Amino acid sequence: MTDPAAVATAATFAAVFIALWIGHTVGDHWVQSSCQAAHKGLPGWTGRLACTRHVLGLTATKAAVLAPVALVLGLDLGAAGLAVGFLLDAASHWWADRRTTLAALARTCGKAEFYSLGTPAHPAHPVTAEGTYAPTIGTGAYALDQSWHTLWLGAAALIIAAL
């Protein structure tokens, strides 16, 4: 027989994950300013502050999306789970968005070539008919960045649902 509490926790996990994922895509692409995107990977305080501003806006967006979902669905979310989940998600996002950290992880995992896919650094980079670099948003770095964030969104949703 299925435990009703386990089913409720699983349903809460699913609803929280979907809300966080929606908030992530909106926050990472619509809320993040061009300045934050351009500067968050820079060395020193300029990069750290830009990344921090981005993560604060992103976290606020996720909370703004999760709040009505929790209210409408009547989700029982505890303060501890929300605090730990959002903190873990924010810290993992900040870490990856400093860029050098995720690039180093890609190299360590043997993904350096994939990380450079779609950029001039890759040996098979996209080119125009004239042979010059053709910029594209479809890069390996972007794919690895987004999959990293999705991993931690799942961990955050599990913590939020379980605590």
Side-chain angles (χ1 to χ4, degrees):
M1 176 171 251
T2 305
D3 176 18
V7 172
T9 301
T12 299
F13 166 75
V16 170
F17 178 79
I18 291 167
L20 292 179
W21 189 77
I22 292 167
H24 169 81
T25 59
V26 171
D28 222 19
H29 299 103
W30 285 95
V31 175
Q32 177 175 211
S33 71
S34 294
C35 181
Q36 291 165 355
H39 294 104
K40 66 186 178 183
L42 293 177
W45 283 105
T46 299
R48 289 184 201 110
L49 290 173
C51 196
T52 299
R53 286 190 299 273
H54 163 54
V55 171
L56 288 172
L58 179 67
T59 302
T61 303
K62 290 173 188 175
V65 171
L66 180 57
V69 169
L71 183 64
V72 169
L73 298 180
L75 301 179
D76 185 21
L77 305 179
L82 288 165
V84 173
F86 274 111
L87 182 62
L88 176 68
D89 178 61
S92 69
H93 198 101
W94 192 91
W95 181 88
D97 275 17
R98 291 294 290 134
R99 301 222 170 103
T100 57
T101 49
L102 194 63
L105 179 61
R107 283 191 304 276
T108 300
C109 295
K111 295 287 185 186
E113 182 182 354
F114 181 70
Y115 187 87
S116 71
L117 184 67
T119 71
H122 193 274
H125 64 79
V127 294
T128 65
E130 293 80 31
T132 57
Y133 171 64
T136 176
I137 193 166
T139 65
Y142 178 78
L144 291 174
D145 172 79
Q146 291 302 303
S147 65
W148 174 265
H149 296 325
T150 303
L151 169 69
W152 291 102
L153 288 172
L158 188 59
I159 290 167
I160 291 169
L163 293 184

